[in-house]
Amino acid sequence: MTLRAVIMAATLAGTLGALSIGPARAQTLEQTARAAAEQLIAAGDLLADANRASDRIAALTRTVRAYEDGLSALRDGLRQVNARERVLTTEFEDRRAEVAQLLGVLARIGHTPAPLLNLHPSGPVGTAQAGQMVAAITPALQAKVDTLRTDLADLALLRDLQNHARTTLETGLAEVQTARTELATALSNRTDRPQRFVQDANAMATLVQNADTLSGFADGLSTLPGAGMTPAPEAATTALPLPVTGQVLRTFGEADAAGIVRNGWLIATTPGALVTSPLDATIRYAGPLLDQGQVIILEPSPNELIILSGMSEAYGTSGTILSQGAPVGVMGGTLPRAQDFLREVGQGGGAGRSETLYIEVRDRNTPVDPADWFAQ
């Protein structure tokens, strides 16, 4: 082997070092994806137990949220898997020629007769230098080959995780739809919800008919009987959970692409996501309003309102008392099929969050920043 070939092998070995992610990284991705799949399996167990629970609505609510959390975790895990696979594939393609040269050099080292390895055109000095470099570089070359082999195995593992995710997804998506349907049925059949007051239907209809803005409607609620009847709760010591699983798109006072400024938060969420009450409250209004879809307005304490709008279904009636975590509605949209779910994740898009829920908090008819109430 010539001194030039040895130098080339050393250069290639250094170039290929960029391919390494190490087994720890791959194992982390595998654990993330598998843990998400286990969440969906655990949600299935909750669904079975919900049929035997004394408070079936509470059990089904926990089940739906468990499915949503599991699907969200699986989506995030698969997104990382896909991203890592794309990086590895791109790096392998970009360095295909270098890999081939490295393998060729190693092959020549392995098949060159031992006596010829001791000869060098420049004489004894060149032979000694080449021998020293070969002795120093061969272990490094072997280490890079081992890393290459590990990365190829990691790539195969990542693709195996993607293939197995389809079966888990098909089961999970079907069962979460079953849980949502059973929850809606249980809520419609429920007759034991306590009422704090009975709303004047005519007065409410007049207010809905005359409202021209969401804020104006909320202001008008303060003039109807029942306002301020909710007892003041104990002060919350921690930030409230969001009423829906999702991501905050727009914050208080932040203009959108059209320059529209809202006095609340806009949250991106998945189709069919369950919306729950963030704290104990009384329903002041539930139903369609203007172009806001289904709207729920909660009164957690006198002179305070939480407005939730953009749902396709709203549960409950005015005057109903809710406990924290009680379901109040569901988002619209069409639930994805397993192949659509995987395609969205593979494309690295908006993670399937095509629906938006608007949250506005009002204190004495004045909008306040939800950041003072909710955890992002």
Side-chain angles (χ1 to χ4, degrees):
M1 183 178 185
T2 66
L3 184 61
R4 181 174 179 274
V6 174
I7 295 173
M8 179 185 296
T11 303
L12 290 174
T15 302
L16 290 172
L19 284 174
S20 175
I21 64 170
R25 170 65 170 164
Q27 288 175 2
T28 299
L29 292 177
E30 178 188 10
Q31 291 167 358
T32 300
R34 293 196 188 282
E38 290 173 0
Q39 280 186 262
L40 287 179
I41 295 173
D45 295 336
L46 285 177
L47 179 58
D49 293 339
N51 294 322
R52 300 186 295 270
S54 57
D55 190 344
R56 193 158 180 263
I57 289 177
L60 286 170
T61 300
R62 289 194 301 271
T63 299
V64 172
R65 272 296 172 86
Y67 272 117
E68 291 178 349
D69 291 344
L71 289 170
S72 178
L74 186 60
R75 179 182 290 110
D76 293 340
L78 287 177
R79 189 187 304 116
Q80 294 179 51
V81 166
N82 285 332
R84 189 60 232 172
E85 180 194 7
R86 285 194 296 270
V87 170
L88 278 177
T89 301
T90 300
E91 289 178 344
F92 281 132
E93 290 298 325
D94 290 344
R95 294 177 173 83
R96 183 184 295 274
E98 289 93 336
V99 171
Q101 285 183 290
L102 173 60
L103 295 177
V105 169
L106 291 174
R108 287 199 296 276
I109 292 176
H111 291 89
T112 302
L116 293 181
L117 289 176
N118 297 325
L119 300 177
H120 195 277
S122 62
V125 175
T127 299
Q129 291 175 337
Q132 291 173 351
M133 294 192 70
V134 168
I137 293 173
T138 298
L141 291 175
Q142 185 60 52
K144 297 306 177 185
V145 170
D146 292 341
T147 296
L148 182 62
R149 185 183 297 111
T150 299
D151 288 344
L152 288 171
D154 291 344
L155 189 57
L157 171 63
L158 299 181
R159 289 174 176 169
D160 181 63
L161 286 172
Q162 291 170 322
N163 293 333
H164 282 80
R166 179 182 294 275
T167 301
T168 303
L169 273 173
E170 289 173 348
T171 302
L173 289 171
E175 290 185 345
V176 70
Q177 182 59 27
T178 298
R180 285 169 176 157
T181 301
E182 292 184 5
L183 176 60
T185 301
L187 285 167
S188 64
N189 295 334
R190 186 169 191 172
T191 59
D192 60 343
R193 281 189 170 181
Q195 295 285 124
R196 194 169 299 282
F197 63 88
V198 177
Q199 185 67 62
D200 184 333
N202 292 329
M204 180 63 75
T206 299
L207 181 60
V208 171
Q209 183 177 2
N210 293 333
D212 54 359
T213 66
L214 187 59
S215 294
F217 178 79
D219 290 340
L221 278 179
S222 63
T223 67
L224 296 183
M229 293 184 64
T230 301
E234 295 182 4
T237 57
T238 59
L240 297 173
L242 289 176
V244 68
T245 299
Q247 180 179 5
V248 177
L249 286 181
R250 294 282 184 273
T251 55
F252 182 81
E254 180 182 357
D256 61 15
I260 299 175
V261 176
R262 294 180 174 85
N263 293 320
W265 281 358
L266 194 64
I267 300 177
T269 186
T270 56
L274 184 66
V275 183
T276 58
S277 178
L279 72 175
D280 297 345
T282 302
I283 297 179
R284 292 306 319 278
Y285 175 78
L289 182 64
L290 301 171
D291 59 348
Q292 303 294 318
Q294 294 289 322
V295 175
I296 287 279
I297 298 181
L298 304 174
E299 183 184 61
S301 63
N303 300 316
E304 292 179 338
L305 296 177
I306 297 178
I307 302 172
L308 306 173
S309 69
M311 296 169 287
S312 66
E313 294 182 55
Y315 306 135
T317 57
S318 298
T320 301
I321 301 171
L322 299 177
S323 58
Q324 184 179 42
V328 296
V330 66
M331 302 302 297
T334 302
L335 292 177
R337 298 172 299 174
Q339 56 266 38
D340 297 330
F341 187 104
L342 291 172
R343 183 173 60 252
E344 289 173 353
V345 172
Q347 292 172 346
R353 295 190 176 112
S354 58
E355 305 301 308
T356 53
L357 178 74
Y358 176 70
I359 302 178
E360 182 173 315
V361 179
R362 299 174 67 86
D363 184 1
R364 292 174 176 80
N365 289 335
T366 300
V368 297
D369 192 346
D372 297 333
W373 290 57
F374 296 97
Q376 292 196 50

